[in-house]
Amino acid sequence: LCNKHIEGSRHRMKLKTNSRTFTCDGLIAEGMSPSDGHPLIYLTMKEEETEMVCPYCSALYEYDDR
């Protein structure tokens, strides 16, 4: 579903996704325990969007269809 490539700082992670529909659970870095995350949510970008921010953890998802 989501091809996560992490860039950026601890406070605002930038993740690339190759799908406009994906999930986020806040576990965006290796070594995080389940208690560090948030409830699993489903996110869908509109066709004209190329970025979306998770409302829980503020991770920035960037659409890249390559």
Side-chain angles (χ1 to χ4, degrees):
L1 278 179
C2 180
N3 184 11
K4 293 183 179 181
H5 297 335
I6 300 173
E7 302 172 4
S9 73
R10 183 175 158 244
H11 301 288
R12 182 84 179 241
M13 301 305 289
K14 187 174 185 179
L15 303 114
K16 294 187 187 270
T17 179
N18 57 5
S19 175
R20 293 191 180 276
T21 301
F22 51 93
T23 61
C24 184
D25 60 7
L27 301 175
I28 54 179
E30 283 201 38
M32 293 179 76
S33 71
S35 63
D36 294 331
H38 59 68
L40 179 71
I41 60 169
Y42 291 84
L43 300 165
T44 303
M45 280 187 210
K46 295 179 182 173
E47 192 64 35
E48 64 274 8
E49 294 178 321
T50 58
E51 295 182 336
M52 177 172 271
V53 175
C54 173
Y56 280 96
C57 66
S58 298
L60 176 65
Y61 287 87
E62 184 178 84
Y63 178 68
D64 184 357
D65 62 355
R66 291 182 271 167

